[in-house]
Amino acid sequence: MLESKVMPEKPQLFGTDGVRGVAGRYPLDRETIAKLGMALGVVLASAARSRRPEVLLGQDTRESSPWIARALATGLRASGAEVAGAGVITTPGVAFLTRHHGFAAGVMISASHNPFQDNGIKVFSGAGAKLPEAVEIEIESVLKNIAASSFGDEEIKTEPSLLSEYLDFLESLAPPGRQKLRLVADCANGSASALAPQFFERLGIEARILNACPDGRNINLNCGSLHPEQMAAETRSAGADLGVAFDGDADRAIFASSSGRVLDGDHVLYGCAPFLNERGQLQGRAVVGTLMTNLGLELSLQERDIGLKRTAVGDKYVLEEMLRSGINLGGEPSGHIIFSDASKAGDGFITLLQMLRLLAATGGPVDELMGGYHPFPQLIRNVRVSGKPPLESVPEVASALARCADDLQGRGRVVLRYSGTEPLARVMVEGERAAAVEHHAAEIAAAIERTLGAPV
């Protein structure tokens, strides 16, 4: 099965995961952020009509997050909106609290897994889900008509009870009668750093916590879900039952077994989908994945009479398909997993709780539970580009794709797409033969670099 999908570039501030860039530079300069806050407030006020909209702000541990939150709050208040602060919290924590308290919107200041120099603005609707693109377009339209102004820098009062309420919610999802487990948790020096110790203490779980000393610049630095090697090694050496690595805002979780085997989001779907299906809890007898979901997972689930629907890359697209198809489980290999019965946002802590539930019910170990899943060799190459024309329209790239298709002969996939947040082309090649995968990924990436490559 050969696929070649190219995601078109969208000329909008909002990408697949909100507004993102280098902190201090457009579109994350103070004036644009304040104008964005004002535009959001105007759109919310139009929808609210008779009452002043209230907006919840949360942030991660980057050194730029506090001033970005203040700039956004200034714009929101200038529009007439009221602002409440959750302080440092996870992205799914903001989503939950927004829905739980009936805020008109929730905003998380975070660039997720990116380095500290980057930051982002993620907006949630009152239902705790990421905004539909139609609303994002409306916000951008209003923003264009806001004149340049000298915005102030207003403080945000943090409500400590909000974090406690989110912890109460997580505790309510913990499996009953859970067995004594030993965990290793990598907090990525991000939002999970303050949350994880309280979370594990409430659940009575013995956990060795790594990378929970944020200094504003070490978020995701050689740690967390993008760099799970340390967590996996610690899990093995400590003889722990399970290891988990969060990303900077803890909406992703990557795991490790007691043997030190790294388990991505596809492994989570493989373990949880049959478990839920056997108990009559998997709606639609299917899961939602993305273009990057491993073909091996699709075939493994088929053997268990469980379907897989694919979407474009991005958890917002996964959720849209889940809601459209009546499916309650979906996710990405990156560790964004959505259990929609509990939350409409990917939540690393909820994913961990579901893995704990799986272990408690089956007795594990994790390696045994994952024994039937055999992922196809898959390789992803990122190429920095100077522009983003349709990749298949570039003759040299099209020729490399044709050679790959002829070689794989229906037993593999190619996915070409542009990053929604960075000037990158992503090349994913998947097939039964590792050598062929490596060869074609290199050949296609080289073709893109020769024709569209940007200087480093």
Side-chain angles (χ1 to χ4, degrees):
M1 179 170 59
L2 180 69
E3 300 178 22
S4 179
K5 302 288 185 180
V6 180
M7 299 303 297
E9 181 184 8
K10 297 181 180 179
Q12 303 172 328
L13 290 180
F14 286 91
T16 56
D17 203 19
V19 179
R20 190 174 294 186
V22 177
R25 300 181 193 171
Y26 179 85
L28 292 182
D29 58 285
R30 290 179 187 271
E31 181 175 318
T32 305
I33 293 167
K35 289 168 66 175
L36 180 62
M38 181 178 286
L40 173 60
V42 168
V43 170
L44 293 175
S46 176
R49 296 181 180 175
S50 61
R51 61 185 179 88
R52 296 179 67 183
E54 295 180 272
V55 179
L56 177 67
L57 295 187
Q59 62 192 59
D60 69 15
T61 58
R62 293 164 212 271
E63 64 179 15
S64 60
S65 292
W67 70 256
I68 291 176
R70 292 195 300 269
L72 193 74
T74 298
L76 283 163
R77 287 169 176 155
S79 74
E82 297 180 359
V83 177
V88 174
I89 194 171
T90 68
T91 290
V94 169
F96 163 74
L97 291 167
T98 299
R99 182 180 74 251
H100 181 68
H101 284 284
F103 286 101
V107 181
M108 179 67 180
I109 310 301
S110 175
S112 190
H113 58 282
N114 284 26
F116 86 92
Q117 297 94 333
D118 295 343
N119 217 320
I121 298 172
K122 305 182 185 185
V123 186
F124 292 93
S125 70
K130 291 180 180 178
L131 294 181
E133 288 184 357
V135 178
E136 293 175 343
I137 292 171
E138 184 180 0
I139 293 170
E140 290 185 1
S141 177
V142 173
L143 186 151
K144 291 176 183 176
N145 296 317
I146 297 176
S149 178
S150 178
F151 291 95
D153 194 9
E154 298 188 21
E155 291 297 322
I156 306 168
K157 182 181 178 182
T158 298
E159 301 290 344
S161 62
L162 292 172
L163 179 60
S164 180
E165 288 181 17
Y166 175 53
L167 283 166
D168 290 342
F169 165 66
L170 291 176
E171 188 176 4
S172 73
L173 299 176
R178 48 192 178 271
Q179 64 194 79
K180 195 73 173 178
L181 296 173
R182 290 175 297 167
L183 302 183
V184 171
D186 183 341
C187 297
N189 292 312
S191 293
S193 299
L195 187 69
Q198 299 180 61
F199 173 78
F200 293 126
E201 183 178 358
R202 284 186 177 217
L203 269 58
I205 291 176
E206 178 187 342
R208 181 172 182 181
I209 297 178
L210 311 175
N211 302 305
C213 299
D215 62 10
R217 295 191 165 205
N218 61 359
I219 188 170
N220 301 311
L221 183 61
N222 299 319
C223 61
S225 63
L226 278 186
H227 305 279
E229 299 82 14
Q230 179 193 5
M231 175 274 295
E234 290 284 348
T235 301
R236 180 177 181 178
S237 63
D241 299 285
L242 188 68
V244 60
F246 302 106
D247 66 339
D249 61 341
D251 59 356
R252 300 184 184 193
I254 296 293
F255 295 88
S257 68
S258 57
S259 68
R261 178 187 179 190
V262 174
L263 309 170
D264 66 11
D266 285 350
H267 289 89
V268 174
L269 293 179
Y270 174 80
C272 291
F275 176 79
L276 294 174
N277 192 43
E278 290 167 4
R279 289 156 179 77
Q281 297 171 354
L282 184 67
Q283 296 174 11
R285 293 182 66 87
V287 301
V288 177
T290 73
L291 298 175
M292 307 306 286
T293 300
N294 197 283
L295 182 57
L297 174 65
E298 183 174 359
L299 298 176
S300 296
L301 291 178
Q302 282 180 2
E303 292 175 359
R304 295 173 175 237
D305 198 26
I306 296 173
L308 172 72
K309 290 179 176 286
R310 294 183 186 269
T311 72
V313 174
D315 60 316
K316 67 183 293 182
Y317 303 119
V318 171
L319 178 61
E320 287 173 1
E321 182 60 40
M322 290 171 66
L323 296 176
R324 182 164 45 245
S325 300
I327 295 170
N328 60 345
L329 175 61
E332 303 181 274
S334 62
H336 268 130
I337 306 296
I338 301 174
F339 296 88
S340 62
D341 292 341
S343 175
K344 298 298 188 292
D347 189 323
F349 282 93
I350 290 178
T351 304
L352 171 58
L353 285 169
Q354 292 292 340
M355 290 292 283
L356 294 178
R357 180 186 175 198
L358 178 64
L359 287 176
T362 63
V366 178
D367 277 322
E368 186 174 306
L369 296 173
M370 301 297 165
Y373 171 42
H374 304 290
F376 275 34
Q378 185 185 92
L379 192 61
I380 299 173
R381 292 286 184 93
N382 294 322
V383 182
R384 188 166 291 274
V385 293
S386 56
K388 294 183 177 181
L391 286 165
E392 290 174 317
S393 70
V394 180
E396 192 170 345
V397 177
S399 295
L401 279 172
R403 288 191 294 273
C404 180
D406 185 59
D407 185 33
L408 295 182
Q409 297 191 351
R411 292 293 293 176
R413 298 187 308 128
V414 178
V415 178
L416 301 185
R417 70 182 185 92
Y418 289 116
S419 167
T421 59
E422 299 174 272
L424 297 174
R426 304 198 193 278
V427 180
M428 189 279 280
V429 180
E430 185 178 72
E432 291 180 299
R433 295 173 288 122
V437 168
E438 186 172 347
H439 168 74
H440 290 296
E443 186 178 41
I444 296 169
I448 295 172
E449 189 165 17
R450 282 192 297 270
T451 53
L452 302 172
V456 179

